[in-house]
Amino acid sequence: MPMQPRERLIVALDLSSVEAAQAMVAKLGDAVSFYKIGYQLAYAGGLAYVSALTGAGKRVFLDLKLHDIGHTVAQGVKSVANSGASFLTVHAYPQTMKAAVDAREGNLRILAVTVLTSYDDADLAAAGYHATVPELVAARAGQARDIGVDGVVCSAEEAANIRAIVGTKLALVTPGIRPAGAAAGDQKRIMTPAAAIAAGADYLVVGRPILAAPDPKAAAQAIVAEMAHAKN
Ligand code: C5P
């Protein structure tokens, strides 16, 4: 069954306290059903907030970008699965992805981060890689597919290329979304919600265009409406 547009919007709770997150979730009400918790909120009490969100019928994406020895990744993934979260990110190293996929339980799905979008070819070279960003993204997307990862986080610009590699079974989750006229902030590669859906994204991650809007609920509803009209 195709997903409703509202289920495809993930709002990034990039806020500094659980109180601020609770206030935003209350403001957004039934306009939003899926939330992302990243480093900022996770390390400010946000991990304990996951069960409150899932208890209220919301889905949670824990953007913790795990990367450690396999045993440690596996134990962490089991704890995250018990928290009720739906999505968890890991860095797309084969050993890490395999440990996470083997340890996932229940509703938890594992997403791979191929190459951080702040990296360019010079950053990769400085980190000891002998590949360009597109080469490494393509190689890691293929490994994610072969290992059985559930989805990939990528910019909407990369979505069509990654879809060609991973096929239709993996979910593509895309940040860097900006409705027409919204400030880009520090995002370098941005796309409108409709263009991202048309490019093959399954889920859109949106932070500041909703969090910093004068009326966050209206901003979320406008994005969902734009997604509903997009062709994919
Ligand atoms: O505020 P904005 O809409 O730019 O937020 C996008 C969210 O997606 C942030 O939480 C950011 O950390 C996350 N993200 C990203 N680019 C990636 C991976 C995650 O912007 N490559």
Side-chain angles (χ1 to χ4, degrees), residues 89-167:
T89 43
V90 303
H91 283 284
Y93 287 78
Q95 203 184 87
T96 297
M97 292 192 286
K98 186 154 189 343
V101 164
D102 289 348
R104 93 195 133 180
E105 295 166 353
N107 294 326
L108 184 65
R109 300 287 172 262
I110 304 296
L111 305 180
V113 176
T114 54
V115 177
L116 293 170
T117 47
S118 59
Y119 274 50
D120 61 18
D121 292 347
D123 292 308
L124 283 185
Y129 291 93
H130 303 285
T132 64
V133 170
E135 285 167 356
L136 193 55
V137 167
R140 289 181 165 178
Q143 290 169 331
R145 174 203 60 212
D146 294 345
I147 288 167
V149 161
D150 302 295
V152 174
V153 180
C154 62
S155 74
E157 250 178 30
E158 294 167 335
N161 284 341
I162 293 192
R163 180 65 77 203
I165 295 166
V166 302

Side-chain angles (χ1 to χ4, degrees), residues 47-48 50-51 62 64 66 71-88 99-100 103-106 108 110:
L47 294 175
V50 173
S51 57
L62 276 180
L64 300 179
L66 301 188
H71 177 74
T72 302
V73 169
Q75 301 309 319
V77 167
K78 285 182 190 159
S79 294
V80 169
N82 287 335
S83 79
S86 297
F87 286 174
L88 169 70
R104 93 195 133 180
E105 295 166 353
L108 184 65
I110 304 296

Side-chain angles (χ1 to χ4, degrees), residues 13-22 37-49 64:
L13 287 174
D14 294 332
L15 298 164
S16 59
S17 70
V18 172
E19 291 70 30
Q22 284 169 325
I37 295 178
Y39 287 178
Q40 185 185 17
L41 185 60
Y43 297 130
L47 294 175
Y49 181 49
L64 300 179

Side-chain angles (χ1 to χ4, degrees), residues 1-10 33-34 59 87 163 168 170-173 197 200-204 224 227-228 230 232:
M1 205 170 66
M3 280 187 294
Q4 295 295 320
R6 193 183 73 114
E7 299 168 48
R8 303 172 68 172
L9 171 64
I10 303 177
S33 62
F34 210 151
R59 300 182 76 201
F87 286 174
R163 180 65 77 203
T168 52
L170 274 72
L172 300 188
V173 179
I197 295 288
D202 295 295
Y203 294 88
L204 307 188
V224 171
M227 289 162 74
N232 70 339

Side-chain angles (χ1 to χ4, degrees), residues 11 24 27-28 31-32 209-223:
V11 173
M24 181 55 64
K27 251 185 220 169
L28 293 170
V32 174
I210 290 174
L211 303 185
D215 183 343
K217 185 171 187 174
Q221 286 168 328
I223 290 173

